[in-house]
Amino acid sequence: MRLSYIVPIYNGKDYIIRCLDSICHQQLPAQDYEVIVIDDCSTDNTRDIINDYITHHPQVRLLCQPENHRQGAARNWGLKEAKGEYISFVDGDDLVLDGVVSALQWAETTNADMVYCSCYHEKTP
């Protein structure tokens, strides 16, 4: 596993699909990455939407926190579960832009400890 995306989410039904699509439509083979979505006790149907998405994208998995602990705790749980050599934190209302593959290749070539990739923050109401 090369890359683990960690995506904390809370009541993100309006934008989680766009976020996941932006990750899953990168030019990485599915076996090279995983997407760990941590639901922080959403009260809308975010979990149902993610579970439907998982049926077509097995590299995505959903973890559900038993209590609302905010993004920090969600990211920490994701880190414990991650199997990738590299980690990317993506908020549920972010869109990952093209360039992840070249950034990952650069990190592997240079043995970089950290690489920053472009992302787009989706403004929410």
Side-chain angles (χ1 to χ4, degrees):
M1 182 76 54
R2 293 170 70 192
L3 179 60
S4 295
Y5 289 95
I6 298 172
V7 183
I9 191 78
Y10 175 77
N11 287 347
K13 68 178 180 67
D14 294 332
Y15 40 81
I16 190 61
I17 294 297
R18 290 182 62 201
C19 174
L20 294 175
D21 279 349
S22 76
I23 293 170
C24 293
H25 292 140
Q26 296 291 317
Q27 298 301 312
L28 277 174
Q31 68 271 13
D32 282 356
Y33 72 99
E34 65 180 344
V35 183
I36 304 168
V37 181
I38 302 96
D39 181 72
D40 198 21
C41 295
S42 293
T43 58
D44 61 6
N45 66 334
T46 297
R47 287 182 187 182
D48 295 333
I49 292 168
I50 296 166
N51 279 321
D52 287 343
Y53 195 89
I54 288 170
T55 62
H56 301 291
H57 299 88
Q59 68 275 34
V60 178
R61 62 183 163 132
L62 175 63
L63 305 176
C64 299
Q65 297 206 111
E67 296 177 6
N68 182 282
H69 290 292
R70 313 225 5 127
Q71 289 180 336
R75 287 186 182 110
N76 288 339
W77 188 14
L79 275 173
K80 289 178 186 174
E81 295 291 324
K83 297 177 183 136
E85 183 178 350
Y86 295 94
I87 304 293
S88 178
F89 293 108
V90 179
D91 287 340
D93 58 352
D94 289 346
L95 300 177
V96 177
L97 303 178
D98 292 339
V100 170
V101 174
S102 61
L104 186 59
Q105 289 169 338
W106 184 82
E108 292 171 337
T109 301
T110 63
N111 202 26
D113 291 328
M114 186 168 96
V115 176
Y116 181 80
C117 300
S118 298
C119 66
Y120 173 78
H121 180 77
E122 180 72 21
K123 299 289 183 196
T124 56

